[in-house]
Amino acid sequence: MHQALPVRSIALVVEPDQEQRALVATLLEESDLQVIECDSAEAALVVVDLKIAHMAMVVTDVALAGRIDGVTLAQNLEAQHPEVPVIVMSARPSERVNELPDNVHQLACPWRPLDMLIVAERARRAA
């Protein structure tokens, strides 16, 4: 028998580096989230539109493959789906993070696995 996913059980990880993306995915899976991985904002927006009813959070890097960066992705998500928490990872504070919406959670790189888990839990509780 097919079992339905619980509401808000998907975390979308948007990261161009495959190893970094896999690490974030593994950490979030340990938090009982189903993870979908993308390397571009364009792909992420398609996934969000298809899975919005189950979207628990989006974790993105500032630098992404494609034409849209993580800051613009966060802005688009805030405008279209403000109920979905967004975490933006950035290696350089100057990477347009001052343009992020106020409710977007930031995580400076390099980060430790515990840092990701803490910020993800804060984002879920704030939603």
Side-chain angles (χ1 to χ4, degrees), residues 47-101:
V47 170
V48 169
D49 285 344
L50 292 172
K51 302 288 187 179
I52 189 60
H54 301 290
M55 196 63 52
M57 72 178 61
V58 175
V59 180
T60 183
D61 198 328
V62 170
L64 298 174
R67 294 182 290 147
I68 302 172
D69 70 5
V71 173
T72 303
L73 174 61
Q75 292 167 338
N76 287 344
L77 290 170
E78 171 60 24
Q80 296 173 15
H81 304 289
E83 72 281 7
V84 176
V86 178
I87 300 170
V88 175
M89 303 176 290
S90 174
R92 294 179 286 284
S94 62
E95 287 185 309
R96 298 185 52 218
V97 293
N98 59 332
E99 299 174 37
L100 289 169

Coordinates of all heavy atoms in Angstrom, one line a residue, residues 47-101:
V47 N 10.7 22.6 -8.9 CA 10.4 21.6 -7.8 C 9.5 22.2 -6.8 O 8.5 21.6 -6.4 CB 11.7 21.1 -7.1 CG1 11.4 20.3 -5.9 CG2 12.6 20.3 -8.1
V48 N 9.7 23.5 -6.4 CA 8.9 24.1 -5.4 C 7.5 24.2 -5.9 O 6.5 23.9 -5.2 CB 9.4 25.5 -5.1 CG1 8.4 26.3 -4.2 CG2 10.7 25.4 -4.3
D49 N 7.3 24.6 -7.2 CA 5.9 24.7 -7.7 C 5.2 23.3 -7.7 O 4.0 23.2 -7.5 CB 6.0 25.2 -9.2 CG 6.2 26.7 -9.2 OD1 6.1 27.4 -8.1 OD2 6.6 27.2 -10.3
L50 N 6.0 22.2 -8.0 CA 5.4 20.9 -8.0 C 5.1 20.3 -6.6 O 4.2 19.5 -6.4 CB 6.3 19.9 -8.8 CG 6.4 20.2 -10.3 CD1 7.5 19.3 -10.9 CD2 5.1 20.0 -11.0
K51 N 5.9 20.7 -5.7 CA 5.9 20.1 -4.3 C 5.6 21.0 -3.2 O 5.8 20.7 -2.0 CB 7.3 19.4 -4.0 CG 7.8 18.4 -5.0 CD 7.0 17.1 -4.9 CE 7.6 16.1 -5.8 NZ 6.9 14.8 -5.7
I52 N 5.0 22.2 -3.5 CA 4.8 23.2 -2.5 C 4.0 22.7 -1.3 O 4.3 23.1 -0.1 CB 4.2 24.5 -3.1 CG1 4.2 25.6 -2.1 CG2 2.8 24.2 -3.6 CD1 5.5 26.0 -1.6
A53 N 3.0 21.9 -1.4 CA 2.3 21.4 -0.3 C 3.1 20.6 0.7 O 2.7 20.5 1.9 CB 1.1 20.5 -0.8
H54 N 4.2 20.1 0.3 CA 5.1 19.2 1.1 C 6.4 19.9 1.5 O 7.2 19.3 2.1 CB 5.3 17.9 0.5 CG 4.1 17.1 0.2 ND1 3.3 16.6 1.1 CD2 3.5 16.9 -1.0 CE1 2.3 16.0 0.6 NE2 2.3 16.2 -0.7
M55 N 6.6 21.1 1.0 CA 7.9 21.8 1.2 C 8.1 22.3 2.6 O 7.5 23.2 3.0 CB 8.0 22.9 0.1 CG 9.4 23.5 -0.1 SD 10.6 22.3 -0.8 CE 9.7 21.7 -2.2
A56 N 9.1 21.7 3.3 CA 9.4 22.1 4.7 C 10.4 23.2 4.7 O 10.3 24.1 5.6 CB 9.9 20.9 5.5
M57 N 11.3 23.2 3.7 CA 12.3 24.3 3.7 C 13.1 24.2 2.4 O 13.1 23.2 1.7 CB 13.3 24.2 4.9 CG 14.3 23.1 4.8 SD 15.4 23.1 6.2 CE 14.3 22.9 7.6
V58 N 13.8 25.3 2.1 CA 14.7 25.3 1.0 C 16.1 25.8 1.5 O 16.2 26.8 2.2 CB 14.3 26.3 -0.1 CG1 15.3 26.4 -1.2 CG2 12.9 25.8 -0.7
V59 N 17.1 25.1 1.2 CA 18.5 25.4 1.6 C 19.3 25.7 0.3 O 19.3 24.8 -0.6 CB 19.2 24.3 2.4 CG1 20.6 24.7 2.8 CG2 18.4 23.9 3.6
T60 N 19.8 26.9 0.2 CA 20.5 27.2 -1.0 C 21.8 27.9 -0.8 O 22.0 28.6 0.2 CB 19.6 28.1 -1.9 OG1 20.3 28.4 -3.2 CG2 19.3 29.4 -1.3
D61 N 22.8 27.8 -1.7 CA 24.0 28.5 -1.7 C 23.7 29.8 -2.4 O 22.7 29.9 -3.2 CB 25.1 27.8 -2.3 CG 26.5 28.3 -2.0 OD1 26.6 29.5 -1.7 OD2 27.4 27.5 -1.9
V62 N 24.5 30.8 -2.2 CA 24.4 32.1 -3.0 C 24.8 31.8 -4.4 O 24.1 32.2 -5.3 CB 25.2 33.2 -2.3 CG1 25.3 34.4 -3.3 CG2 24.7 33.6 -1.0
A63 N 25.9 31.2 -4.6 CA 26.5 30.9 -5.9 C 25.8 29.6 -6.4 O 26.0 28.6 -5.8 CB 28.0 30.8 -5.9
L64 N 25.1 29.7 -7.6 CA 24.4 28.5 -8.1 C 24.8 28.4 -9.6 O 25.2 29.4 -10.3 CB 22.9 28.7 -8.0 CG 22.4 28.8 -6.6 CD1 20.9 29.0 -6.6 CD2 22.7 27.5 -5.8
A65 N 24.5 27.2 -10.2 CA 24.6 27.0 -11.6 C 23.4 27.7 -12.2 O 22.4 27.9 -11.5 CB 24.5 25.5 -11.9
G66 N 23.5 28.1 -13.4 CA 22.4 28.8 -14.1 C 22.5 30.3 -14.0 O 23.5 30.9 -13.5
R67 N 21.4 31.0 -14.3 CA 21.4 32.5 -14.4 C 20.9 33.1 -13.1 O 21.1 34.3 -12.9 CB 20.6 33.0 -15.6 CG 21.2 32.6 -16.9 CD 20.4 33.1 -18.1 NE 19.2 32.4 -18.1 CZ 18.0 32.9 -18.6 NH1 17.9 34.1 -19.0 NH2 16.9 32.1 -18.6
I68 N 20.3 32.4 -12.3 CA 19.7 33.0 -11.0 C 20.5 32.5 -9.9 O 20.8 31.4 -9.7 CB 18.2 32.5 -10.8 CG1 17.4 32.9 -12.0 CG2 17.7 33.1 -9.6 CD1 16.0 32.3 -12.0
D69 N 20.9 33.5 -9.0 CA 21.7 33.2 -7.8 C 20.8 32.9 -6.7 O 19.6 33.0 -6.7 CB 22.8 34.2 -7.5 CG 22.2 35.5 -7.0 OD1 21.0 35.6 -6.8 OD2 23.0 36.5 -6.8
G70 N 21.4 32.4 -5.6 CA 20.6 32.1 -4.4 C 19.9 33.2 -3.7 O 18.9 33.0 -3.1
V71 N 20.5 34.4 -3.8 CA 19.8 35.6 -3.2 C 18.5 35.9 -4.0 O 17.4 36.1 -3.4 CB 20.7 36.8 -3.2 CG1 19.9 38.1 -2.8 CG2 21.9 36.6 -2.3
T72 N 18.6 35.8 -5.3 CA 17.4 36.0 -6.1 C 16.4 34.9 -5.9 O 15.2 35.2 -5.9 CB 17.7 36.2 -7.6 OG1 18.7 37.3 -7.7 CG2 16.5 36.5 -8.5
L73 N 16.9 33.7 -5.8 CA 16.0 32.6 -5.5 C 15.2 32.8 -4.2 O 14.0 32.6 -4.1 CB 16.8 31.3 -5.4 CG 16.0 30.0 -4.9 CD1 14.8 29.7 -5.9 CD2 16.9 28.8 -4.8
A74 N 16.0 33.2 -3.1 CA 15.3 33.5 -1.8 C 14.3 34.6 -1.9 O 13.2 34.5 -1.3 CB 16.4 33.9 -0.8
Q75 N 14.6 35.6 -2.7 CA 13.7 36.7 -2.9 C 12.4 36.2 -3.6 O 11.3 36.6 -3.2 CB 14.3 37.9 -3.7 CG 15.4 38.6 -3.0 CD 16.3 39.5 -3.9 OE1 16.3 39.3 -5.1 NE2 16.9 40.5 -3.2
N76 N 12.6 35.4 -4.6 CA 11.4 34.9 -5.4 C 10.6 34.0 -4.5 O 9.3 34.0 -4.5 CB 11.9 34.1 -6.6 CG 12.4 34.9 -7.7 OD1 12.2 36.1 -7.7 ND2 13.1 34.3 -8.6
L77 N 11.2 33.1 -3.7 CA 10.5 32.3 -2.8 C 9.7 33.1 -1.7 O 8.6 32.7 -1.4 CB 11.4 31.3 -2.1 CG 12.0 30.2 -3.0 CD1 13.1 29.4 -2.3 CD2 10.9 29.3 -3.5
E78 N 10.3 34.1 -1.2 CA 9.7 34.9 -0.2 C 8.4 35.6 -0.8 O 7.4 35.7 -0.2 CB 10.6 36.0 0.3 CG 10.0 37.1 1.2 CD 9.3 36.5 2.4 OE1 9.7 35.4 2.9 OE2 8.4 37.2 3.0
A79 N 8.5 36.1 -2.1 CA 7.4 36.7 -2.7 C 6.3 35.7 -3.0 O 5.1 36.1 -2.9 CB 7.9 37.4 -4.0
Q80 N 6.6 34.5 -3.5 CA 5.6 33.6 -4.0 C 5.2 32.6 -2.9 O 4.0 32.1 -2.9 CB 6.2 32.8 -5.2 CG 6.5 33.7 -6.4 CD 7.2 32.9 -7.5 OE1 7.3 31.7 -7.5 NE2 7.8 33.6 -8.4
H81 N 6.1 32.2 -2.0 CA 5.8 31.2 -1.0 C 6.4 31.6 0.4 O 7.3 30.9 0.9 CB 6.3 29.8 -1.4 CG 5.8 29.4 -2.8 ND1 4.6 29.0 -3.0 CD2 6.5 29.3 -3.9 CE1 4.4 28.7 -4.3 NE2 5.6 28.9 -4.9
P82 N 5.9 32.7 1.0 CA 6.5 33.1 2.3 C 6.4 32.1 3.4 O 7.1 32.3 4.4 CB 5.7 34.4 2.6 CG 4.4 34.3 1.8 CD 4.7 33.5 0.6
E83 N 5.5 31.1 3.3 CA 5.4 30.1 4.3 C 6.5 29.1 4.3 O 6.7 28.3 5.3 CB 4.1 29.4 4.2 CG 4.0 28.4 3.0 CD 3.7 29.0 1.6 OE1 3.7 30.3 1.5 OE2 3.5 28.3 0.7
V84 N 7.4 29.1 3.3 CA 8.5 28.1 3.2 C 9.7 28.8 3.7 O 10.2 29.8 3.1 CB 8.7 27.7 1.7 CG1 9.9 26.7 1.6 CG2 7.4 27.0 1.2
P85 N 10.3 28.2 4.8 CA 11.6 28.8 5.3 C 12.7 28.6 4.3 O 12.8 27.6 3.6 CB 11.8 28.0 6.6 CG 10.6 27.2 6.9 CD 9.8 27.1 5.6
V86 N 13.6 29.6 4.2 CA 14.7 29.5 3.3 C 16.0 29.7 4.2 O 16.0 30.7 5.0 CB 14.6 30.6 2.2 CG1 15.9 30.6 1.3 CG2 13.4 30.4 1.4
I87 N 17.0 28.9 3.9 CA 18.3 29.1 4.5 C 19.3 29.3 3.3 O 19.3 28.6 2.4 CB 18.8 27.8 5.2 CG1 17.8 27.5 6.4 CG2 20.2 27.9 5.8 CD1 18.0 26.1 7.0
V88 N 20.1 30.4 3.5 CA 21.0 30.8 2.4 C 22.4 30.6 3.0 O 22.8 31.2 4.0 CB 20.8 32.2 1.9 CG1 21.9 32.6 0.9 CG2 19.5 32.3 1.3
M89 N 23.3 29.8 2.3 CA 24.7 29.6 2.7 C 25.5 30.5 1.9 O 25.3 30.7 0.7 CB 25.1 28.1 2.5 CG 24.3 27.1 3.2 SD 24.7 25.4 2.8 CE 24.2 25.3 1.0
S90 N 26.5 31.1 2.5 CA 27.4 32.1 1.8 C 28.8 32.0 2.4 O 29.0 32.1 3.6 CB 26.8 33.5 2.0 OG 27.7 34.4 1.4
A91 N 29.8 31.9 1.5 CA 31.2 31.8 1.9 C 31.7 33.2 2.1 O 32.7 33.4 2.8 CB 32.0 31.1 0.8
R92 N 31.1 34.2 1.4 CA 31.5 35.6 1.5 C 30.4 36.5 1.9 O 29.4 36.6 1.2 CB 32.1 36.1 0.2 CG 33.4 35.3 -0.2 CD 34.0 35.8 -1.5 NE 33.2 35.3 -2.7 CZ 33.2 34.0 -3.2 NH1 34.0 33.1 -2.6 NH2 32.5 33.7 -4.2
P93 N 30.5 37.2 3.0 CA 29.4 38.1 3.5 C 29.0 39.1 2.5 O 27.9 39.6 2.4 CB 29.9 38.7 4.7 CG 31.1 37.9 5.2 CD 31.6 37.2 4.0
S94 N 29.9 39.5 1.6 CA 29.6 40.5 0.6 C 28.7 40.0 -0.6 O 28.3 40.7 -1.4 CB 30.9 41.1 0.0 OG 31.6 40.1 -0.6
E95 N 28.5 38.7 -0.6 CA 27.7 38.1 -1.7 C 26.2 38.4 -1.7 O 25.4 37.6 -1.6 CB 27.9 36.6 -1.7 CG 29.2 36.1 -2.2 CD 29.3 34.6 -2.3 OE1 28.9 33.9 -1.3 OE2 29.7 34.1 -3.3
R96 N 25.9 39.7 -1.7 CA 24.5 40.2 -1.8 C 23.6 39.8 -0.6 O 22.4 39.9 -0.7 CB 23.9 39.8 -3.1 CG 24.6 40.3 -4.3 CD 23.9 39.9 -5.6 NE 22.5 40.3 -5.6 CZ 21.5 39.6 -6.1 NH1 21.8 38.5 -6.7 NH2 20.3 40.0 -6.0
V97 N 24.2 39.2 0.5 CA 23.4 38.8 1.6 C 22.6 39.9 2.2 O 21.5 39.7 2.8 CB 24.1 38.0 2.6 CG1 24.6 36.7 2.0 CG2 25.3 38.8 3.2
N98 N 23.1 41.2 2.0 CA 22.3 42.3 2.6 C 21.0 42.5 1.8 O 20.1 43.3 2.3 CB 23.2 43.6 2.6 CG 23.6 43.9 1.2 OD1 23.8 43.1 0.3 ND2 23.9 45.2 0.9
E99 N 20.8 41.8 0.7 CA 19.6 41.9 -0.1 C 18.6 40.9 0.2 O 17.5 40.8 -0.4 CB 19.9 41.9 -1.6 CG 20.8 43.0 -2.1 CD 21.3 42.8 -3.5 OE1 20.4 42.3 -4.4 OE2 22.4 43.1 -3.9
L100 N 18.9 40.0 1.2 CA 18.0 38.9 1.5 C 16.8 39.4 2.3 O 16.9 40.4 3.1 CB 18.7 37.9 2.4 CG 19.7 37.0 1.7 CD1 20.6 36.2 2.6 CD2 19.0 36.1 0.7
P101 N 15.6 38.8 2.1 CA 14.5 39.2 3.0 C 14.8 38.9 4.4 O 15.6 38.1 4.8 CB 13.4 38.2 2.5 CG 13.8 37.9 1.1 CD 15.3 37.9 1.1

